[in-house]
Amino acid sequence: METIHQWNILIHITLGTIALGLGLYILVRTKGTGHHKRLGKLFLILMSGIVFTALIGSVLFNFRPFLFILTLTAFYTSYMGMRVLHLHGKRPLAWDVSIMGVTLALLLIYPFFEPYEQVDSKNTPVLIATVTNLVLNILFDLGKLVYPLQWLKRTVIQDHIVRMISSFSALLSAFSANVLPKYLMPYSQLIPSALCILLMIYFIQSRQRKSRKSLIFSQLKKLSFFRNSLD
């Protein structure tokens, strides 16, 4: 069993490292292309493998609730970040709601495995931020059952940006918790999270600027066509 445990850890770390590198690569590449979409699907596959190996390690070997919550957050946000593109403004399907329910259930049973008061004080700020982030994500997704469809369609890209960067942030926090010295916590995890929030703001604003330019250009083309028709 020990050999299986070591192989599981090796696979988990390998998948996590590849996903982290891939996520960083996606962030700096051009968005919206076919290549970008294929890389996004690969990222989700890697996240699925990370969660699967984390579950194996948790159930059969050494369960580490705090890191499991980070892994769960990374998977949920990446999954919903891809689903929002697939649904493209439509309401969540039964399968999506079931994912929300299972994730919320796992989150609620967390204290039974590791009561919050027993969490290392250095991990507490990160834990609070992670749990709050995941709960807000789930509540937001449940709200899509009643939000106006027009608004859902208008915010697809913004939703996608926030979810995928949130997933990358959770993955980066889990990586930091395992690799960096313990005395750097919680700043080794909070600082990357803060930087990822700035990235969200940057990409959303960049998207909005492009949309405004596209709208202005479209209006100018229509005006030019109208003038040419009069001539």
Side-chain angles (χ1 to χ4, degrees), residues 160-180:
H160 174 71
I161 290 171
V162 170
R163 301 309 179 93
M164 299 311 292
I165 296 181
S166 291
S167 176
F168 179 77
S169 177
L171 193 61
L172 189 58
S173 292
F175 179 83
S176 300
N178 279 298
V179 175
L180 297 180

Side-chain angles (χ1 to χ4, degrees), residues 32-143:
T33 63
H35 183 58
H36 175 78
K37 293 174 184 177
R38 288 190 293 273
L39 290 178
K41 291 178 181 178
L42 177 57
F43 183 78
L44 185 58
I45 292 172
L46 289 170
M47 289 305 308
S48 299
I50 292 169
V51 171
F52 182 70
T53 51
L55 282 172
I56 292 176
S58 299
V59 174
L60 299 181
F61 305 107
N62 180 30
F63 183 56
R64 300 176 68 184
F66 174 67
L67 291 178
F68 180 75
I69 288 294
L70 288 174
T71 303
L72 183 66
T73 301
F75 173 76
Y76 180 84
T77 49
S78 62
Y79 173 79
M80 288 302 175
M82 295 297 292
R83 283 296 291 166
V84 70
L85 293 179
H86 181 77
L87 293 170
H88 200 70
K90 297 177 183 177
R91 301 203 184 282
L93 303 178
W95 171 254
D96 301 309
V97 176
S98 67
I99 292 292
M100 299 173 202
V102 170
T103 304
L104 185 59
L106 289 172
L107 192 60
L108 291 175
I109 65 174
Y110 174 94
F112 293 98
F113 291 99
E114 186 178 34
Y116 290 113
E117 62 269 14
Q118 293 182 13
V119 177
D120 189 325
S121 59
K122 291 183 178 181
N123 286 336
T124 302
V126 181
L127 176 64
I128 293 172
T130 304
V131 171
T132 301
N133 173 51
L134 188 51
V135 169
L136 290 175
N137 268 274
I138 296 170
L139 292 177
F140 178 78
D141 288 327
L142 287 172

